Amino acid sequence: MASLNREASRNGWRLQFRDNAKHKRSIWLGDVPEWQAGQIKVHVEHLLEAERSDAPPSASTVRWLAALSDAMRSKLAKAGLTEPPAKREGQRLTLGDWLDQYIAERKDVKASTIETYEKARDNLVDYFKKEKLIREITAADAKRWRIWLATEGNRRDTKSGRTDMADETVRRRTGKAKQFFAEAVERGLIEQNPFAKLPSTTRGNAKRQFFVAAEWIEDCITHAPCDDWKLILALCRYGGLRCPSEVLRLRWVDVNLPERRMTIHAPKTEHHETGGVRQCPIFPELRPYLEAAWDAAPEGAEFVITRYRSVDQNLRTTLERIIKRAGLVPWPRLFQNLRASRETELMAMYPAKDVAAWLGNSVPVAMRHYAMPRAE
């Protein structure tokens, strides 16, 4: 049985009782009318009896709980009588509302990361519908969603009619779904993450790896439309820079030709301890192109690449034209395979840890996504 005590010094009511484990419990009710304190006492006693007999609470107690303020519900939750307010929120939180809320809160990530969140959100909403309650999504539902994602989740390739999605993309989208629901678990909105056991670690797609020989890139440089494009190709293939992010950020103040090194600023890794800044050698193959660009640069030039700086520029389309003009066939992942080809060459000559530091990734990432076996 519970008991009510009026504390004159604090001008309010205190409810005391022993839970079913015989532990003393106390809830401060505050300055409420005596009838309201008595009502709370009756419902608390009913909750204790329901727990003791392993039976659900009565309909009247359920309605009473639903009408409580979050503050009072939190007090009951601390006493082990009900779920906390966050979990109650999860009982009625829809998938669309939760994903929109989570993405809107992530002001700490870049716009490109938000885009990946939005793509995963679209896949989840397409399959489950935005009105689906997050607590209703089960592990079996998550497995079916992943199968759907792999076979029907691709909405881009409308010309060929293909709807299947690459395995690496499926893994990345699954990883984002895990992230969304792990946060819901962390906040107490749901008890378990239905996506937790689904494979999401990216492994690298060997089918899309392609070693771009130096002879090929020299042919492309010969057919480049301007000096800026010649240097873009050299920076990607001989310097291993990410394009466009690192190539377009490179300033002349970052290039130290006498000491044969350059400072690279990588937006992709700004959140790392290094702040996205790394030192990279100016390799012998790259040096002539940087020297020529330095000699041709106007007085006071800030950026190494002066053209193609607009976000509207489609460098990929231009590169495809250059490759075809050189009499070659465009390879998969045009810019990434230029960087991967350089990393593969360097790893055959230098310790992997040094190469990874120069090119701005980790050894495991380099091995999984960049390094390629060579016949030599």
Side-chain angles (χ1 to χ4, degrees), residues 317-331:
T317 300
T318 305
L319 179 52
E320 285 181 342
R321 293 197 191 104
I322 294 171
I323 294 170
K324 292 176 181 177
R325 199 177 299 146
L328 303 171
V329 177
W331 51 84

Side-chain angles (χ1 to χ4, degrees), residues 77-148:
K78 288 180 180 179
L81 294 169
T82 187
E83 296 171 342
K87 188 169 290 187
R88 180 179 59 166
E89 179 187 349
Q91 300 297 306
R92 58 176 182 266
L93 188 60
T94 65
L95 177 65
D97 287 344
W98 166 238
L99 297 180
D100 289 344
Q101 175 187 334
Y102 177 82
I103 294 172
E105 289 176 358
R106 293 307 304 268
K107 301 185 185 300
D108 58 321
V109 299
K110 298 176 184 174
S112 57
T113 302
I114 293 295
E115 287 181 11
T116 65
Y117 290 167
E118 290 174 343
K119 289 176 181 178
R121 176 196 60 191
D122 290 345
N123 291 141
L124 288 164
V125 169
D126 283 349
Y127 182 80
F128 290 110
K129 309 307 177 189
K130 62 182 181 180
E131 298 84 7
K132 181 82 169 180
L133 298 178
I134 60 172
R135 66 180 177 84
E136 292 179 346
I137 298 175
T138 66
D141 292 333
K143 288 181 181 178
R144 286 190 283 269
W145 170 79
R146 196 178 190 281
I147 294 171
W148 171 86

